[in-house]
């Protein structure tokens, strides 16, 4: 039978199987879910075995395990390493979910659950595409390896050492990843660039204790006032980051790259309306798609301190906190950015207050030349299934391990994603459009058969 007929016949059983995986709360960021992450890895190994993969292993790390499998019976043919992750984001705020995040449900052609699109659903498609070829043809047209980790949502902390220690085991002609999105419904894209990332936590201290605002107000520093003033100094009136040295390593946008961005036909007014915004905002001189795809950012992800309960409490807080992340591009060095931001904060802190910085995640930006033949093959595979060839884009998000794969394994990375930007990844009611589940399976088969 054709692959279309095969997948149609297997669709209900495959979705039921995927729901089992999505039911496991494999939240890597929360220690209370450590056993759940392990359970998700075990579930994955059992599924890989049923699919026909071989040499299936769970590799412990200092954190959550890495799952490996392969099928190496195509001498002289390329070796493709499939990468993905089985861990998921926390689910808060829980009350904003229409149905519980770990009770998968299909509504209006969409599968709702935490991990549905990021990234269990997309990893699952690769397993089922491989299984389909094995069942239909008895072997694979290429050699396949899989490296599926459980820490992507916390920065792939322990995967780079695993890659370094297992370079021969993981050696491949290309790394295939589905953890990105289409441009929009029916318009496939292949990401040729991902922004890097660095993060920090900031704490401002003043007095040794919270103080009564009637007894001390106007005479002592207020940690919240000091923090807000400090954070406002991080950007200028043109939306640029005002930290000295922040733009070191940032390439100027070439006319060719700007032309490629323009080809995407992004409708800024539609984006504004869909988000319920009065207007878009960002660094002056750049379009929305340029800002999120090829320019660096410094964002406040959380600001808190003082009394936050119901009603009023006339208190002057002794401390205040902020969480900051930066998205990086080009050759920006995440350590340099962290040091530069920390220096700026310490230089500009209000008198009477002190600032403490905890540096956290670090990941460099990833880029690949879209003219690479394997990316062209991937674009053709999309074209055959979707009826329109994939465009080459740059993604504003970060998959920290992509740069490590490219550098350590010295192999091109093919970011062949099937999600959509409005599928609420990292947010309540995360979902996966099953139209792309169906087409994604066929696209992966087409790619593996033609690469």
């Amino acid at each position: 039978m054709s692959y279309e007929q095969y997948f149609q016949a297997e669709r209900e059983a495959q979705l039921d199987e995927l729901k089992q995986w999505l039911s496991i709360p494999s939240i890597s960021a929360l220690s209370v879910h450590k056993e759940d992450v392990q359970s998700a890895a075990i579930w994955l190994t059992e599924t890989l075995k049923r699919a026909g993969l071989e040499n299936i292993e769970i590799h412990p790390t200092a954190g959550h395990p890495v799952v490996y499998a392969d099928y190496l019976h195509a001498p002289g043919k390329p070796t493709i390493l499939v990468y993905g992750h089985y861990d998921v984001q926390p689910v808060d705020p829980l009350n904003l979910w229409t149905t519980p995040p770990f009770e998968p449900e299909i509504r209006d052609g969409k599968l709702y659950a935490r991990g549905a699109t990021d990234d269990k659903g997309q990893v699952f498609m690769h397993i089922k595409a491989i299984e389909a070829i094995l069942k239909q043809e008895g072997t694979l047209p290429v050699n396949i390896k899989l490296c599926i980790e459980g820490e992507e949502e916390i920065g792939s902390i322990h995967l780079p050492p695993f890659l370094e220690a297992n370079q021969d085991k993981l050696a491949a002609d290309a790394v295939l990843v589905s953890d990105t999105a289409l441009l929009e419904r029916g318009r496939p894209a292949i990401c040729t660039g991902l922004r890097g990332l660095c993060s920090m936590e900031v704490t401002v201290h003043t007095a040794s204790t919270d103080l009564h605002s009637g007894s001390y107000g106007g005479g002592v520093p207020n940690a919240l006032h000091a923090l807000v003033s400090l954070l406002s100094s991080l950007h200028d009136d043109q939306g640029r980051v005002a930290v000295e040295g922040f733009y070191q390593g940032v390439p100027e946008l070439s006319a060719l790259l700007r032309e490629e961005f323009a080809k995407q036909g992004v409708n800024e007014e539609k984006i504004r309306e869909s988000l319920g915004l009065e207007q878009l905002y960002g660094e002056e001189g750049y379009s929305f798609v340029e800002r999120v795809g090829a320019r660096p950012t410094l964002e406040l992800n959380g600001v808190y301190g003082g009394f936050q309960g119901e009603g009023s409490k006339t208190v002057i807080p002794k401390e205040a906190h902020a969480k900051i992340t930066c998205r990086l591009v080009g050759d920006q060095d995440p350590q340099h950015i962290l040091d530069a931001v920390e220096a700026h904060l310490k230089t500009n802190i209000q008198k009477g207050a002190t600032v403490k910085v905890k540096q956290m995640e670090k990941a460099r930006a990833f880029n690949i030349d879209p003219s690479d033949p394997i990316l062209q093959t991937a674009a053709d595979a999309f074209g055959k299934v979707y009826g329109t060839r994939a465009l080459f884009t740059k993604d504003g998000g970060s998959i920290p391990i992509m740069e490590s794969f490219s550098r350590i394994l010295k192999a091109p990375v093919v970011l062949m994603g099937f999600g959509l930007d409005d599928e609420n990844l990292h947010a309540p009611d995360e979902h996966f459009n099953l139209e792309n589940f169906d087409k994604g399976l066929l696209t992966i088969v087409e790619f593996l058969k033609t690469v």
Side-chain angles (χ1 to χ4, degrees):
M1 68 176 73
S2 70
Y3 281 99
E4 289 90 341
Q5 292 170 326
Y6 171 88
F7 285 123
Q8 186 59 41
E10 296 289 327
R11 190 176 194 265
E12 185 174 348
Q14 289 181 350
L15 289 176
D16 285 343
E17 191 174 0
L18 174 56
K19 287 179 182 179
Q20 295 174 18
W21 203 19
L22 293 171
S23 298
I24 304 173
S26 50
I27 304 171
S28 55
L30 303 179
S31 58
V32 69
H33 287 288
K34 184 173 182 178
E35 290 186 6
D36 293 316
V37 179
Q38 181 75 25
S39 295
I42 293 171
W43 187 96
L44 175 59
T45 61
E46 294 169 348
T47 303
L48 291 169
K49 184 176 180 179
R50 289 195 301 270
L53 276 298
E54 301 173 344
N55 301 312
I56 301 165
E57 303 162 349
I58 294 182
H59 290 268
T61 71
H64 301 302
V66 176
V67 175
Y68 173 86
D70 62 35
Y71 192 89
L72 307 175
H73 299 286
K77 298 294 185 179
T79 297
I80 306 299
L81 174 65
V82 176
Y83 163 79
H85 64 93
Y86 61 87
D87 64 320
V88 301
Q89 282 276 324
V91 298
D92 305 278
L94 188 60
N95 65 298
L96 295 183
W97 287 80
T98 303
T99 51
F102 297 108
E103 296 180 18
E105 180 175 291
I106 295 174
R107 303 193 300 272
D108 301 321
K110 303 171 183 178
L111 175 57
Y112 285 82
R114 175 58 91 223
T117 187
D118 182 23
D119 181 39
K120 286 179 179 176
Q122 298 202 55
V123 170
F124 185 78
M125 288 194 302
H126 285 276
I127 300 170
K128 290 304 165 183
I130 292 167
E131 180 181 66
I133 298 174
L134 286 172
K135 286 187 175 180
Q136 291 273 91
E137 305 184 29
T139 190
L140 297 179
V142 293
N143 300 294
I144 286 287
K145 299 177 180 179
L146 294 98
C147 176
I148 315 298
E149 67 156 322
E151 295 187 333
E152 194 276 343
E153 298 294 3
I154 52 174
S156 300
I157 305 167
H158 300 104
L159 192 54
F162 178 81
L163 298 182
E164 293 279 7
N166 293 276
Q167 291 184 53
D168 291 340
K169 185 185 196 70
L170 299 172
D173 295 291
V175 181
L176 179 59
V177 184
S178 293
D179 197 10
T180 50
L182 309 180
L183 274 175
E184 58 186 20
R185 184 179 177 183
R187 296 185 68 201
I190 294 174
C191 178
T192 63
L194 291 161
R195 291 192 288 190
L197 177 74
C198 62
S199 67
M200 61 173 56
E201 292 181 353
V202 179
T203 302
V204 168
H205 291 279
T206 50
S208 59
T209 185
D210 288 352
L211 299 170
H212 189 292
S213 67
S215 301
Y216 292 94
V220 297
N222 181 312
L224 276 172
H225 291 179
L227 178 64
V228 170
S229 174
L230 184 60
L231 297 179
S232 70
S233 75
L234 290 169
H235 293 86
D236 65 20
D237 293 338
Q238 288 73 49
R240 285 177 60 86
V241 178
V243 173
E244 184 177 352
F246 183 85
Y247 289 93
Q248 182 177 317
V250 177
E252 289 300 319
L253 296 190
S254 67
L256 180 61
L257 183 55
R258 288 195 134 167
E259 184 180 336
E260 286 297 310
F261 279 127
K263 286 180 182 178
Q264 296 179 28
V266 173
N267 186 327
E268 295 194 3
E269 182 62 15
K270 182 179 178 181
I271 293 172
R272 183 195 67 77
E273 290 181 354
S274 70
L275 297 176
L277 291 170
E278 290 295 322
Q279 65 179 53
L280 299 179
Y281 175 81
E283 186 182 3
E284 290 185 7
Y286 299 92
S287 67
F288 173 84
V289 70
E290 289 170 347
R291 289 170 183 163
V292 302
R295 296 297 293 171
T297 66
L298 186 155
E299 299 285 358
L300 307 181
N301 308 120
V303 179
Y304 53 100
F307 177 66
Q308 298 176 56
E310 183 179 357
S312 174
K313 182 181 182 183
T314 53
V315 64
I316 298 174
K318 69 171 185 174
E319 64 182 49
H321 310 268
K323 294 179 183 289
I324 296 174
T325 54
C326 299
R327 299 287 180 172
L328 312 178
V329 301
D331 293 322
Q332 281 184 296
D333 179 352
Q335 185 60 59
H336 166 77
I337 297 301
L338 287 171
D339 292 341
V341 175
E342 181 171 349
H344 177 96
L345 295 172
K346 290 182 175 177
T347 299
N348 290 276
I349 186 65
Q350 177 183 298
K351 290 181 180 179
T354 60
V355 61
K356 189 175 182 180
V357 174
K358 178 183 178 183
Q359 298 186 4
M360 299 170 67
E361 301 160 287
K362 292 182 289 186
R364 286 184 173 272
F366 160 78
N367 288 284
I368 185 172
D369 186 344
S371 67
D372 190 295
I374 198 162
L375 266 67
Q376 295 296 319
T377 299
D380 291 338
F382 269 118
K384 185 164 184 181
V385 175
Y386 280 81
T388 181
R389 198 170 187 268
L391 288 176
F392 296 106
T393 65
K394 290 190 179 294
D395 196 315
S398 303
I399 307 178
I401 201 62
M402 291 303 97
E403 187 273 340
S404 298
F405 270 112
S406 178
R407 172 174 46 83
I408 296 171
L409 299 185
K410 297 178 174 58
V413 177
V414 183
L415 287 160
M416 181 184 265
F418 299 95
L420 288 171
D421 283 336
D422 63 358
E423 289 179 332
N424 290 9
L425 60 166
H426 294 204
D429 278 355
E430 178 181 349
H431 59 275
F432 190 27
N433 282 263
L434 295 181
E435 174 187 10
N436 292 319
F437 177 82
D438 298 331
K439 290 184 176 179
L441 289 165
L442 295 171
T443 304
I444 294 168
V445 169
E446 179 66 22
F447 175 75
L448 294 178
K449 288 172 67 67
T450 57
V451 68

